[in-house]
Amino acid sequence: MTSNESKTDKYFGQALKRKEDPRFITGAGNYTDDIVIPGMLHAAMVRSPYPHAKINGINKDSVLGMPGVEAVLTGQDIVDAGIGSIPVGWLLPELKTPAHPAIALTEANHVGDIVAVVVAETRALAEDAAAMLEVDYEPLPSVAFAGAAIAESAPVVHDDVPGNVAFNWEIGDATAVQEQFNVAHKTVKLKLKNQRLIPNAIEPRASLAQFTPASGEYLLYTTSQNPHIHRLILAAFVMNIPEHKLRVISPDVGGGFGSKIFQYQEEVIMLLAARLMGRPVKWTARRSEAFVSDMQGRDHETETEMAVDKDGKMLAFRVNTLANLGAYQTLFAPAVPTYLYGTLCNGVYKLPAVHVKVQGVMTNTVPVDAYRGAGRPEATYAIERTVDAMAHALGEDPAEFRRKNFIQPEDFPYQTPVALVYDSGNYEPALDMALNMMKYPELRAEQERMKGSNKILGVSVISYVEACGLAPSALVGQLGAQAGQWESSLVRVYPTGKVELFTGSHSHGQGHETAFPQIAADELQIPIEDIDLVHGDTGRMPYGWGTYGSRSAAVGGSALKVALQKITAKAKKIAAHLLEASEEDVEHENGVFRIKGAPDKSKTFFDVALMAHLAHSLPEGMEPGLEATAFYDPKNFVYPFGTHMAVVEIDTDTGKVDLRNYGCVDDCGPLINPLIVEGQVHGGIAQGAGQALWEEGAYDEEGNLLAASYMEYTMPRADDLPMYQIDHTVTPSPHNPLGVKGIGESGTIASSSAVANAVLDALWHECGIEHLDMPYTAEKVWKAIRDSRAGMGQAADD
Amino acid sequence: MNVTVNVNGKPYTRDVEARTLLVHFLREDLLLTGTHVGCDTSQCGACTVHVNGEAVKSCTVLAVQADGMDVKTIEGMGTPGDLHPLQTGFWEKHGLQCGYCTPGMIMASAELLKHNANPSEEEIRYHLEGNYCRCTGYHNIVKAVQHAAEIMAQGGQSGQAADD
Ligand code: FES
Ligand code: FES
């Protein structure tokens, strides 16, 4: 038995290859669409082809006789079943929230809104019938862009949201900012668009529901980042099912990036269909459905202004943003462009005054909610673009301009003017490491040499801070969150010394099944092979809040640590009892419990686990068993930071941007598993670079999605990206037991700004172009260069 | 309509609708769910398998077109106890996160290594441009393929690596 050979290796910090991988590399992963329940039916959604339309009627008979068709469900069936609106999970003062029915009843509000559902014997037959269903639509006027939607004469998306404004929100002191602007030496102003993105996890969403009438129990397999949240919403707010009679299992999930946090219409529909049909019902999205139904990201129209004094020290930063919320508000929608954005608009700088104003606007587009980074990439973009513009205006090097405005190490904990208290940080070492790693002076020299040729170079240096590890429950409660954001962990030790860990966090690629056992193996001092992590099943674990906001390690990992400490505390008591020593005389070292100074008298973890269960000899009054649960509520957010640098080469004849090099130095505190951390950074960089260079969820002005497949929505492919150079500084978080911070989103939070600034650095040096909106497609860049040269040519002629 | 397809060395005969795609035949009729579906426009490569030894997106092939052919899927590449060098490479180099694109990546890479035992970074990236990965940023996928090439160069043929 391996437990008898307890080891002392430190697992924390090792680049172990992942325990979960054998199943994935051999094709044995178990994703929702892989699951078959005998007798299951299949559902196909009928989705509105119009951005806004009245539903005058649906002729169920048009398909009910078709082969294999078992049922057609409409909005009326939702009403008849007493099913409630899908709720919003974060309320703001005076927030206007339109109803969000699982199936639209009288009005479809975006292309892709569900107006009916066909249930049939096979997926193909369901889709055949869905295509044939007669729906009498009456198209209504519609609007896609936030700026257009607040115009006086704009079409109204929902009658109960007059003027399409769902909320007005602000943070910071507008007067203090104005006072700084009044005395400023220099100011700059930018108009920025942070375009709509579509998350595009490669596994499309899927759900499979089963109902057992005899017990009244429901089982839902679904592609979720947070199965407990789904159960809570479905049970308490939407379906009115006793919470303990709904088991939600989120098996292997093929990427989430935020898009699998939310309570979607389809999950409600599957549960209802399973009950009505008396058979299991499955739905799996086609990619073309994902484009019009997965929650989308970003979509800000923003004006920024910065003021500095005569020494180039920042005085104030002002932000005014229109946030496009789309047609409905889903789980975190109101929080993303406010508390996860406005509070981050201070960046890494000592800014005496900051003010951020945000208007949340409803439009006839797919709803917008958290997508990797959620508000923080938008904040970083607003600041870091403006900082570059200011550096240009001052004629200062962008790296040095940043450096002299950094919050200093001795300033922490640092209270920003926009509510957050940064717990710890040391920004300069990360900057210097990045500059050295990328050979910054040589890049600038190369840029000079290339000037005027048809290949120009752009270099960026951006520094970011983000707030993650969501979140202190009482604080977010005050801010409007309708949920707690602590995390739980259960540690179950078996008589044989084998251990199962349970967490309310969820891995959909992040490597929990390796990282969590690494933490446990160190604390219990047993081989990692004896430990497995279970997650993603509300039937097997204590309550939890899932994975988003880079919270798994900082909050879920901390909960695990606390539970493990309870186990070792009890184990030590049992060991002391077995060794006939007092607890204070027993130490837990090198995998054994032994009497200090008498190293031959020891008990292994296995001995203790066995006795805990045999209970033949336990300390007086001790309960048998060896199992502990912990609920951990963080004291603050955690604040990862770092410096990212991008190097782009632009072909001025074609406008094509080549991302030549990318380097970054991140600080996420101590690394549990460097291999996993680097993987997170790589993927994050790719998604941010995708935003900067290619991706755009483009709509026409009426709300028709123009980029509705992989033909039009351009995500980076292997041959579009370079190898990344990655390093770290380590500044532990002072307030959680592991010292760890999040790393799941940093890459994305920093990289869209880094790549954007590199492109603009090239265009500014070559042609004096101060700003251009992402994505920097060849056509857009080529036109900008041509126009600027035409302008310059003309100027020379005059 | 009856088709017989040799999948991972075994013949399977099934009655399929003419419109059944090979990927659905594999997943739904044979329950070989290691082959994934990521799109409906033949652009993600999650469904890549080998048909008569060539990497093919199985969502672009009808099951009836594969009648009488040899198909190899990820399930036929190796087992946890006897991995193909590419499976080892992806594991060692952290070439996967959610694992959804991984079977397709491995099948597409296997074709590359068959024709090019020692591909450069650029050749690997070019060859895999038909396969989307949203998690890894591709960095470790490139390293995984390079690692597999090294194992194979050292004669480390494990799994069912003698690729047909
Ligand atoms: S499923 Fe996307 S290419 Fe086949
Ligand atoms: S590992 Fe998730 S898509 Fe590639």
Side-chain angles (χ1 to χ4, degrees), chain B residues 36-39 42-47 57 59:
Chain B
H36 297 151
V37 178
C39 72
S42 289
Q43 279 157 323
C44 75
C47 63
K57 289 178 175 174
C59 71

Side-chain angles (χ1 to χ4, degrees), chain A residues 32 61 73 112 119 176 205 211 286 303 346 392 407 431 488 500 523-524 555 562 583 669 774 788 798:
Chain A
T32 300
D61 290 336
L73 303 179
V119 183
R205 284 187 301 116
F211 177 62
R286 286 174 163 273
E303 279 175 22
N346 181 88
H392 291 159
I407 300 164
L431 173 70
S488 72
E500 271 186 318
E523 178 72 24
L524 302 178
V555 190
V562 176
E583 205 189 324
M774 302 182 288
S788 82
D798 291 343

Side-chain angles (χ1 to χ4, degrees), chain A residues 17-29 31 33-34 36 122-125 128 198-204 252-255 257 286-289 371-372 508-511 675-680 682-684 686-687 690 695 709-711 713-725, chain B residues 17 19 24 27-28 31-46 57 74-81 83 86-88 90-103 105-106 121-122 124-143 146:
Chain A
K17 60 184 184 186
R18 300 196 313 175
K19 283 166 76 82
E20 49 266 73
D21 284 355
R23 69 176 186 271
F24 294 125
I25 55 181
T26 56
Y31 300 88
D33 187 50
D34 299 343
V36 172
T122 70
R123 181 173 177 185
L125 293 172
D128 286 348
I198 302 177
N200 273 306
I202 303 297
E203 179 207 21
D252 287 330
V253 172
F257 316 116
R286 286 174 163 273
R287 179 59 54 187
S288 44
E289 287 184 273
Y371 164 51
R372 199 172 194 171
H508 22 284
Q510 297 93 333
L675 204 59
I676 292 175
V677 168
E678 286 177 11
Q680 289 296 310
H682 294 163
Q687 282 181 19
E695 297 179 30
S709 80
Y710 287 154
M711 321 266 267
Y713 191 87
T714 319
M715 301 195 300
R717 294 185 177 276
D719 59 351
D720 292 319
L721 294 167
M723 299 307 267
Y724 317 107
Q725 290 163 265
Chain B
E17 264 193 274
R19 62 176 168 173
H24 290 136
R27 288 180 54 80
E28 283 155 30
L31 297 179
L32 291 170
T33 53
T35 303
H36 297 151
V37 178
C39 72
D40 45 14
T41 50
S42 289
Q43 279 157 323
C44 75
K57 289 178 175 174
I74 186 67
E75 288 92 344
M77 289 295 273
T79 59
L83 294 173
L86 273 163
Q87 293 171 315
T88 306
F90 273 73
W91 192 9
E92 291 285 339
K93 296 297 169 188
H94 191 31
L96 63 148
Q97 290 178 27
C98 77
Y100 200 78
C101 71
T102 312
M105 285 287 179
I106 289 176
E121 182 199 330
E122 198 182 339
I124 294 168
R125 288 183 182 276
Y126 180 73
H127 184 83
L128 292 180
E129 62 92 46
N131 292 68
Y132 270 135
C133 176
R134 195 61 157 162
C135 296
T136 64
Y138 305 104
H139 182 112
N140 285 346
I141 289 178
V142 171
K143 286 174 48 178
Q146 287 169 334

Side-chain angles (χ1 to χ4, degrees), chain A residues 459-480:
Chain A
V459 184
S460 68
V461 184
I462 75 105
S463 297
Y464 74 96
V465 62
E466 66 127 333
C468 64
L470 267 49
S473 300
L475 174 64
V476 295
Q478 283 163 23
L479 302 182

Side-chain angles (χ1 to χ4, degrees), chain A residues 403-417:
Chain A
R403 183 195 304 278
K404 78 174 178 199
N405 281 289
F406 278 162
I407 300 164
Q408 296 302 308
E410 62 274 14
D411 298 333
F412 294 94
Y414 183 79
Q415 172 71 62
T416 73

